[in-house]
Amino acid sequence: MEAPESTGVSAELRAELARRARDRKSRFVEFDSEEPTVWNPTQVLHPECGIPFTDITAWHYIAEQLDKGCDVTQVCLRKPAGHIGYELDLEGAAGHPRIHVKVRLYKDKIKGRSFHNSTRAGV
């Protein structure tokens, strides 16, 4: 079965983001003042089962959503200035906010920047 048409990024980039998210050797989260990170998957309920994510299930959920064709927005990061990040705005569990995800490609890896309940008004 073919993946849905990509929204926001090329099919190749989408596949690469998903591949890195699935591979434990190709993904990481690092808290750093030069690159702020809000990575709180254990505070977010998985929409399909209602239990909190773990780091591993969060990464696999990101990959699954990329495969399903979720919207991906390319953003210019403030920190580090001029670098490109990718945002996903995913459906949250019933009665809970949407899930905000931000990642960026870093050398041959994917760096998790955000995974938390959305704080945007109206979502």
Side-chain angles (χ1 to χ4, degrees):
M1 180 176 167
E2 241 180 38
E5 189 170 25
S6 176
T7 305
V9 297
S10 71
E12 294 80 14
L13 178 57
R14 177 181 292 278
E16 183 62 14
L17 290 167
R19 183 193 69 76
R20 291 184 192 193
R22 279 192 179 90
D23 181 355
R24 66 180 179 86
K25 294 180 182 176
S26 296
R27 64 181 187 234
F28 72 105
V29 176
E30 184 176 82
F31 298 89
D32 178 332
S33 63
E34 297 300 312
E35 193 163 356
T37 302
V38 181
W39 191 264
N40 297 319
T42 60
Q43 297 176 14
V44 178
L45 295 183
H46 195 300
E48 294 170 9
C49 61
I51 62 173
F53 283 97
T54 65
D55 281 337
I56 294 168
T57 59
W59 281 114
H60 284 270
Y61 189 69
I62 291 167
E64 290 166 8
Q65 296 307 301
L66 287 163
D67 288 345
K68 289 180 179 178
C70 69
D71 288 344
V72 179
T73 303
Q74 181 175 305
V75 295
C76 186
L77 302 172
R78 290 183 301 236
K79 288 186 173 185
H83 287 259
I84 300 298
Y86 302 94
E87 290 186 340
L88 291 70
D89 177 41
L90 305 175
E91 191 69 36
H96 290 267
R98 296 183 68 78
I99 302 170
H100 176 73
V101 176
K102 186 186 299 176
V103 297
R104 87 172 177 102
L105 296 177
Y106 182 85
K107 300 181 183 178
D108 60 345
K109 299 186 185 299
I110 187 171
K111 183 174 187 175
R113 292 283 305 267
S114 300
F115 192 101
H116 57 83
N117 289 316
S118 180
T119 57
R120 292 181 183 166
V123 293

